[in-house]
Amino acid sequence: MKKITNLGLLLAFGLILSYIESLIPFGFGIPGIKLGLANFAILLCLYTYSGKDAFVLNISRIMLSGFLFGNLYTIIYSLAGGMFSFVAMYLLKKTDKFTMKGTSVIGGVFHNVGQIIIAAFVVSTKGIFYFIPYLIVAGVFSGFIIGVIAQQVMPHIITLKETHQ
Amino acid sequence: MNKKKRNDYLLIASCLLSAILLLFFQSGFFVNKGGEVSVTYHSKEIGRYSLHQNIMIPVEEDGAYNLIEIVDGKAIMKEANCKDGQCMKQKAISLKGESIICLPNKLVITVENGTDSQLDGISF
């Protein structure tokens, strides 16, 4: 039961981050660039609970934030970005060779790259791939910052989880 | 733990390196000046315009409005009614292969070969 409550809290946290993200103009004229703040919640879930929980959390977060703050197209983009980043983070965590920072960075990079691949399908232009290097760099930076914060927060989350059980 | 940290930085370095390599790789592509722009809406071409002229091209397609301006051999998105307005922030394009993309309106402007110099126009 405690787990459901905690997952609900993480989902609410992810939704708030999605909302904050929708308020911050962070585009630099490049389609597909996102801060990827909501990755924070997914990252915490991935490290406190299982990959399956993080997956369900990710899908629910994208659907809810898409209907609340976006439209069908933003859902498609977020879903693509979310899935790409989730699979990448999950596999990287499974290798157990990286810290949360590395996982977060790969999540940020794949989030942006996944979105641009879908965008390339939607507008069917190869020209959009021109933006990929910038998107990788943006993903590394946002992923790194989120990773650093997550590493600081993580010990507290673990204590919370254990004391309440 | 230290090994993991080292792996993190290796990962970050390789990501940045691949971005730089891609950028170099691309800069090899985007060097030739293009002669005309192709405008596509919902992946159908709706017009071609020479870059050797100064014109304003309004595009109005069911609800989508974009104004493209060609000036000094460069094309920019002057106005757009899309929600995010990202297309208006993209830089002017003039090199072959460069493009401006308005995702919400699904409008793409791409620089293409066309007539590379105005000489072709009179040499036939």
Side-chain angles (χ1 to χ4, degrees):
Chain A
M1 241 12 208
K2 198 75 216 169
K3 184 179 162 193
I4 301 242
T5 325
N6 282 347
L7 286 180
L9 280 174
L10 277 172
L11 178 60
F13 181 49
L15 271 179
I16 292 169
L17 291 177
S18 300
Y19 176 62
I20 294 172
E21 186 168 289
S22 73
L23 294 179
I24 302 173
F26 179 75
F28 306 118
I30 300 170
I33 281 207
K34 274 274 185 72
L35 262 171
L37 283 177
N39 237 6
F40 194 2
I42 308 303
L43 196 68
L44 289 179
C45 185
L46 192 65
Y47 274 81
T48 34
Y49 294 104
S50 65
K52 204 182 90 196
D53 294 324
F55 183 79
V56 175
L57 184 76
N58 205 1
I59 298 268
S60 338
R61 201 248 335 146
I62 290 163
M63 286 299 172
L64 284 172
S65 72
F67 285 121
L68 284 172
F69 321 117
N71 51 47
L72 198 62
Y73 278 111
T74 50
I75 292 181
I76 295 172
Y77 291 127
S78 321
L79 213 51
M83 288 304 100
F84 262 82
S85 74
F86 177 78
V87 171
M89 289 199 297
Y90 180 69
L91 292 177
L92 203 78
K93 187 193 172 257
K94 239 186 152 182
T95 64
D96 201 30
K97 288 200 172 84
F98 299 89
T99 69
M100 277 182 106
K101 257 184 243 157
T103 315
S104 175
V105 164
I106 210 78
V109 170
F110 274 81
H111 184 264
N112 287 345
V113 171
Q115 284 195 330
I116 205 110
I117 288 172
I118 291 299
F121 273 112
V122 172
V123 293
S124 64
T125 0
K126 281 186 252 87
I128 204 157
F129 288 114
Y130 168 73
F131 296 112
I132 277 193
Y134 305 101
L135 289 171
I136 292 176
V137 174
V140 167
F141 273 96
S142 60
F144 184 75
I145 292 163
I146 288 168
V148 170
I149 301 169
Q151 243 170 8
Q152 301 297 317
V153 172
M154 199 56 202
H156 304 283
I157 298 257
I158 291 285
T159 342
L160 258 179
K161 192 186 160 198
E162 277 161 5
T163 50
H164 282 279
Q165 254 165 8
Chain B
M1 196 61 197
N2 263 333
K3 204 167 185 183
K4 283 190 179 181
K5 266 188 192 160
R6 195 203 60 196
N7 283 343
D8 277 354
Y9 289 108
L10 279 178
L11 182 80
I12 292 167
S14 54
C15 280
L16 293 178
L17 194 71
S18 61
I20 292 166
L21 281 179
L22 270 173
L23 207 61
F24 269 111
F25 186 61
Q26 283 179 346
S27 64
F29 277 121
F30 299 103
V31 282
N32 300 317
K33 271 217 172 294
E36 57 181 16
V37 286
S38 147
V39 180
T40 53
Y41 174 73
H42 273 266
S43 48
K44 273 198 291 286
E45 186 174 88
I46 53 169
R48 286 179 164 273
Y49 305 90
S50 167
L51 276 173
H52 309 293
Q53 56 183 346
N54 293 343
I55 50 162
M56 299 278 230
I57 309 155
V59 180
E60 268 176 276
E61 302 275 346
D62 39 54
Y65 169 73
N66 290 71
L67 182 67
I68 303 157
E69 184 180 24
I70 298 178
V71 69
D72 302 327
K74 285 177 178 172
I76 56 161
M77 190 74 81
K78 194 84 178 164
E79 285 170 24
N81 71 345
C82 57
K83 215 176 73 192
D84 58 4
Q86 295 286 341
C87 50
M88 287 177 282
K89 289 187 219 149
Q90 289 174 33
K91 65 176 169 68
I93 53 170
S94 61
L95 304 178
K96 211 168 87 187
E98 281 187 320
S99 55
I100 294 178
I101 296 148
C102 180
L103 267 185
N105 287 353
K106 301 214 182 40
L107 190 92
V108 181
I109 320 166
T110 315
V111 180
E112 289 184 359
N113 223 345
T115 43
D116 253 11
S117 74
Q118 277 162 311
L119 271 177
D120 289 346
I122 48 166
S123 59
F124 64 86

